[in-house]
Amino acid sequence: MMSPDIYELERQRIFDRCWLFLGHESEVPNPGDYARRVVAERPLFFARSREGELKVFHNTCPHRGALICRTDHGNAQVLQCFYHAWSFNTSGELVGMPDIEGYGPDFDRADFGLRSPRYESYQGFIFVCFDPEAVSLREYLAGAAEYLDLVADQAPDGMKVIPGSNRYTIKANWKLLAENSIDGYHALPTHQTYFDYMANEAGNDIPAINRRRGFGRSLGNGHGVMENDAIYGRPIAMWHPYFGEEARAEIQGIKDDLIARHGSAKALRMCEKSRNMVIFPNLVINDIMAVTIRVFQPTGPDSMDVTAWQMVPAGETGSRLNRRLDSFLTFLGPGGFATPDDTEALESCQQGFRSGGVEWSDLSRGFHRDPRGNDELQIRSFWRRWQSLVADRPHVEQYERGLTPGEIPDVQPSPELTVAADD
């Protein structure tokens, strides 16, 4: 968790090769809309062309490399580089430049359009990949696609990202947040204040958290999910006392609509279950008391930048939207019950690793039973993928051949169960 050499390998073997989340199509709904991001330390932006097509570009001028898009979002017919005033439309075409005659008759503006990385969209979620040989996005998502479907299908008019975001820095290794996001084991001790608050709102039903049922699941390619009973209410379609009696009928109406559109099995799964999913390497979808998109960009072996967005049904307004926003901010917002707790926990782990007293992180919980929601199967799936991409070949071959630790010499302790603290 502290090695610059390992971090450099991660940049080359993970972030230069995997599909990485960029944004959501709903952020650029109109022709000329654009939004910029930094992905794997690369400046990018995505836009809606005049024809309504989604476009993704490297945020760099083909002339001298300066940033083209210098604000986080907006709407423009033309994006102009401030350095030499080369101008581009939202299709990436070079449409204007001072003194074009100075370049002579052989200069072709078509050769100097904005460059695009490889990009694909699934259910409105936009991903980029810097490896031309990588599999398609749909193949990469594997079982995670099912859970993105559960989010996207919640609204008849589609889902959208609310304007604005939460941004903060955590002084800890990025992999710790990947673990934390699908770690049900920490929920009760770390977030006790939140559960006490919610239990009090429900008539002091404090033991309810211990009665919830759930499971962990590996989704392939390092993705993992934990799914549990949503015992503390979901604005989507599950009433809770803190919503007030006046909200009961409206929330039941949402549930009835979901059942009518999707059938009972899928609708009740949307309404009465909560899901935390990691899409390897650095995207988190929290489909719990609100739908949150969270992405973390490593900035070194001991730091990361985190951005979170709220996602809601496109047509949602009034009390429904207010309940959802309040639930999001109460738990997942920058000053909510959960985010400061998790930040403190991860920074505490990073500080502890510096002592040298912990060589391995134990990930064996639930290894010998059917995976429960607070077990660690889903975390082990993340680390197996990490191992296959970053670690030395003997360990990679172990997983490719399905060998146990005892069948490979000099592999102790088992990487299946433990993770080196200095990785």
Side-chain angles (χ1 to χ4, degrees), residues 275-288:
R275 290 160 287 274
N276 289 48
M277 176 172 64
V278 166
I279 296 180
F280 188 92
N282 65 332
L283 171 63
V284 177
I285 305 294
N286 298 117
D287 185 11
I288 42 180

Side-chain angles (χ1 to χ4, degrees), residues 280-331:
F280 188 92
N282 65 332
L283 171 63
V284 177
I285 305 294
N286 298 117
D287 185 11
I288 42 180
M289 71 289 296
V291 180
T292 305
I293 302 170
R294 178 182 288 165
V295 64
F296 40 99
Q297 304 289 347
T299 56
D302 57 358
S303 64
M304 68 183 110
D305 290 335
V306 185
T307 307
W309 299 267
Q310 160 100 33
M311 176 169 271
V312 303
E316 194 168 69
T317 59
S319 57
R320 296 184 184 187
L321 180 59
N322 290 337
R323 281 195 299 270
R324 191 183 295 269
L325 294 176
D326 180 70
S327 294
F328 167 67
L329 291 173
T330 298
F331 189 67

Side-chain angles (χ1 to χ4, degrees), residues 120-131:
E120 294 182 29
S121 177
Y122 181 80
Q123 291 279 30
F125 293 84
I126 311 165
F127 292 77
V128 296
C129 184
F130 305 108
D131 180 4

Side-chain angles (χ1 to χ4, degrees), residues 139-144 217-225 278-280 381-382 385:
E139 185 176 352
Y140 180 80
L141 288 174
R217 181 182 173 194
S218 172
L219 302 174
N221 293 329
H223 321 316
V225 68
V278 166
I279 296 180
F280 188 92
S381 70
F382 172 91
R385 181 62 171 166

Side-chain angles (χ1 to χ4, degrees), residues 154 234-238 251 254-255 258 270-271 287 324:
Q154 289 175 12
R234 292 168 51 75
I236 206 170
M238 186 174 178
I251 291 175
I254 301 172
K255 184 175 183 178
L258 287 169
M270 288 177 170
C271 301
D287 185 11
R324 191 183 295 269

Side-chain angles (χ1 to χ4, degrees), residues 188 192 194-213 229 231-232:
L188 188 56
Q192 183 67 57
Y194 175 75
F195 291 118
D196 287 347
Y197 164 73
M198 296 301 294
N200 182 65
E201 293 292 320
N204 291 313
D205 188 11
I206 295 176
I209 182 64
N210 295 315
R211 296 198 301 268
R212 67 176 180 168
R213 296 169 298 172
D229 292 336
I231 59 169
Y232 280 115

